[in-house]
């Protein structure tokens, strides 16, 4: 099986994405996670461009990564500098990284208008910058910036830049679609042409501006590229970089290449969620392979067919990438979704059994009251457990009070709660809260974490409030849907009431019960 080297640039190119920002501590966590996943190369940052990245490399030396090699990124020397006097190049050496990924210019337009030097001089810059790195004991990868655009503008010159890098000793020459505008058919043709001229290993670095990052990467691999650059969840400038969470399973499951240890493939969804949490971004539900909806079925006809053969509406099995099949429950979906959902939870439901009828009856009643289980499958699972009497509660509420006050124009929220856990009574007050629900959540957690420490891992990813019957104005029903995560899974729970606090409370309690039942807490 042919091996493809995976080169992750989440920490460098990925952190150029809008809204993505990793602290030093988070960068370390990302690197450890990528190492655990078995990623071959981790581009840690650009030490020559900012002190945070230099500090990262200093700290990373203590990490003792098991699977990954850390790579420092940077540019070729400045036009007028000698290599040994160039800050960019000396920063590679100072970073302590063993591998340097150095980018240089391919496109004549950039050389003349941006670098303002001659084409000949640029070849020298590439060559002696790489030479300097190798002389200083580093392994050099060469990123040919704007390679595809440069090739289209001046093919002969673009190839000359690659040959200069190869001759100078670059271990990999990476073809970059920096502006992300190249089509797969062009990638195929150009990579084949490059392959004729170069003997060294080739890599591909694609951006997603035309929504073709994955397609271009796979095409380049078919054409002979043996290294793939990308980021987790496709984070990156503008529309992002090529998404490793899509590329890796395609290469490994569909094209017969080996990227990660097969055992690690099952952790891909967890990796995507974990990095999204650190980036403080919501992983899009529709993300292929790893998204919450990637294997989610709603239409009754689909669910019915899936019951007969799971291949009928899935391109692969969700477990292979550590994801889960989800069946959405709604009035429209009827009995087959309920049965299928039960089966997926290991509950054997028959079409005409009293339990199936009872579940459907409860769903219908609750939907009449404003519930909608479509976006709240964790609450639905609890409902099923209640019918089958496999549900249990973990605490009893004795009472709570929530108040909001305005002192000197400052709004404050407090909650007091009294609950009974394992025959002990806990009383807690969370004085602080961004709002009344936050205060209530804090108070409840404070009381429960003493007995159930695993709740410390849980936090809310999303909190949606919707008015179900707006015509009732301020007496309208409020539907609250909470999305929770423990860093491994994501689950949604629901509560409905005329009172927003109560609706939130019901959704919070479901979220906690779901977590504890899922973990098998006794
Ligand atoms: Zn890039």
């Amino acid at each position: 099986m042919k091996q493809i080297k995976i080169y992750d640039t989440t920490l460098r190119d990925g952190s150029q994405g809008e809204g993505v920002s990793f602290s030093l501590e988070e960068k370390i966590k990302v690197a450890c996670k990528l190492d655990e996943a078995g990623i071959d190369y981790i581009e840690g940052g650009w030490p020559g461009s900012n002190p945070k990245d230099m500090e990262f490399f200093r700290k990373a030396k203590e990490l003792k990564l098991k699977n990954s090699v850390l790579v420092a990124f940077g540019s070729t020397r400045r036009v007028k500098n000698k290599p040994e006097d160039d800050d960019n190049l000396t920063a590679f050496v100072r970073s302590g990284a063993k591998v340097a990924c150095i980018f240089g210019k391919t496109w004549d337009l950039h050389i003349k208008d941006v670098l303002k030097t001659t084409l000949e001089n640029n070849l020298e810059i590439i060559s002696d910058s790489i030479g300097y790195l190798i002389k200083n004991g580093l392994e050099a990868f060469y990123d040919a910036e704007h390679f595809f655009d440069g090739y289209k503008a001046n093919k002969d010159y673009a190839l000359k830049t690659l040959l200069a890098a190869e001759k100078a000793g670059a271990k990999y020459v990476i073809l970059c679609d920096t502006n992300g505008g190249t089509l797969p058919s062009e990638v195929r043709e150009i990579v084949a042409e490059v392959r004729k001229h170069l003997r060294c290993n080739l890599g591909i670095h694609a951006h997603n501006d035309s929504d073709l990052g994955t397609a271009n990467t796979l095409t380049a691999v078919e054409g002979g590229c043996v290294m793939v650059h990308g980021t987790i969840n496709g984070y990156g400038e503008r529309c992002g970089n090529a998404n490793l969470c899509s590329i890796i399973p395609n290469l490994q499951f569909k094209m017969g290449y080996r990227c990660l240890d097969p055992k690690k493939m099952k952790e891909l969804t967890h990796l995507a969620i974990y990095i999204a949490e650190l980036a403080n971004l919501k992983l899009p539900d529709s993300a292929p392979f790893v998204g919450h909806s990637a294997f989610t079925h709603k239409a009754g006809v689909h669910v019915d067919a899936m019951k007969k053969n799971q291949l009928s509406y899935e391109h692969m099995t969700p477990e292979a990438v550590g994801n889960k099949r989800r069946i959405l429950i709604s009035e429209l979906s009827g009995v087959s979704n309920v049965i299928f959902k039960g089966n997926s939870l290991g509950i054997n439901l028959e079409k005409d059994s009293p339990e199936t009828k009872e579940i459907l009856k409860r769903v219908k009643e609750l939907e009449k009251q404003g519930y909608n289980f479509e976006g709240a499958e964790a609450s639905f699972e609890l409902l099923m457990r209640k019918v089958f009497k496999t549900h249990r509660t973990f605490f009893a509420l004795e009472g709570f009070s929530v108040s909001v006050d305005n002192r000197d124009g400052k709004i404050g929220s407090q909650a007091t709660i009294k609950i009974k856990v394992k025959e002990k009574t806990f009383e807690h007050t969370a004085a602080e809260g961004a709002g009344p629900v936050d205060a209530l959540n804090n108070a409840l957690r404070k009381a429960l974490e003493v007995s159930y420490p695993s709740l410390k891992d849980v936090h809310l990813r999303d909190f949606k409030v919707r008015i179900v019957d707006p015509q009732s104005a301020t007496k309208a029903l409020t539907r609250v849907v909470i999305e929770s995560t423990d860093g491994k899974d994501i689950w949604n729970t629901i509560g409905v009431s005329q009172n927003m606090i109560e609706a939130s409370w019901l959704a919070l309690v479901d979220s906690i019960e779901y977590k504890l039942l899922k973990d098998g807490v006794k």
Side-chain angles (χ1 to χ4, degrees), residues 254-417:
K254 306 199 170 183
M255 293 165 70
Y257 293 98
R258 187 186 159 109
C259 306
L260 299 184
D261 180 335
K263 278 183 255 146
K264 295 288 180 185
M265 290 302 292
K266 286 191 165 47
E267 289 164 33
L268 200 65
T269 300
H270 169 53
L271 175 68
I273 295 173
Y274 182 88
I275 303 294
E277 290 297 314
L278 281 178
N280 208 10
L281 291 171
K282 188 177 188 288
L283 178 65
D285 288 342
S286 59
F289 298 98
V290 296
H292 202 37
S293 305
F295 299 94
T296 297
H297 306 277
K298 179 175 171 184
V301 191
H302 288 197
V303 174
D304 203 43
M306 290 282 297
K307 225 169 42 182
K308 293 166 188 148
N309 185 341
Q310 302 199 344
L311 294 175
S312 58
Y313 284 95
E314 276 174 4
H315 68 114
M316 62 179 285
T317 142
E319 290 79 15
V321 286
N323 207 338
K324 272 192 205 136
R325 179 174 301 120
R326 291 164 62 231
I327 304 298
L328 301 181
I329 298 299
S330 77
E331 252 177 320
L332 299 172
S333 54
V335 70
S336 58
N337 285 28
V338 169
I339 290 176
F340 196 82
K341 178 88 183 168
N343 291 343
S344 72
L345 300 170
I347 299 170
N348 199 9
L349 286 177
E350 298 296 331
K351 199 171 172 194
D352 296 316
S353 73
E355 287 89 355
T356 307
K357 285 186 183 147
E358 177 63 23
I359 291 166
L360 273 172
K361 196 177 120 214
R362 289 199 195 186
V363 168
K364 291 225 159 91
E365 274 168 17
L366 288 164
E367 286 191 339
K368 234 183 262 163
Q369 291 169 34
Y371 278 77
N372 178 353
F373 289 100
E374 191 182 311
E377 73 276 9
S379 286
F380 179 73
E381 185 176 330
L382 296 178
L383 183 149
M384 283 185 122
R385 284 176 176 274
K386 281 172 192 162
V387 170
F388 277 89
K389 305 198 169 28
T390 56
H391 176 266
R392 59 163 290 216
T393 52
F394 295 86
F395 64 94
L397 175 70
E398 309 218 320
F400 68 69
S401 111
V402 178
S403 66
V404 178
D405 54 29
N406 182 340
R407 284 188 197 136
D408 306 324
K410 248 186 108 182
I411 301 277
S413 305
Q414 297 83 28
T416 317
I417 197 166

Side-chain angles (χ1 to χ4, degrees), residues 47-63:
S49 85
N50 72 74
K52 187 164 92 183
D53 284 4
M54 187 56 101
E55 180 63 11
F56 167 79
F57 281 98
R58 203 187 59 74
K59 281 218 153 173
K61 274 182 217 152
E62 297 153 22
L63 287 181

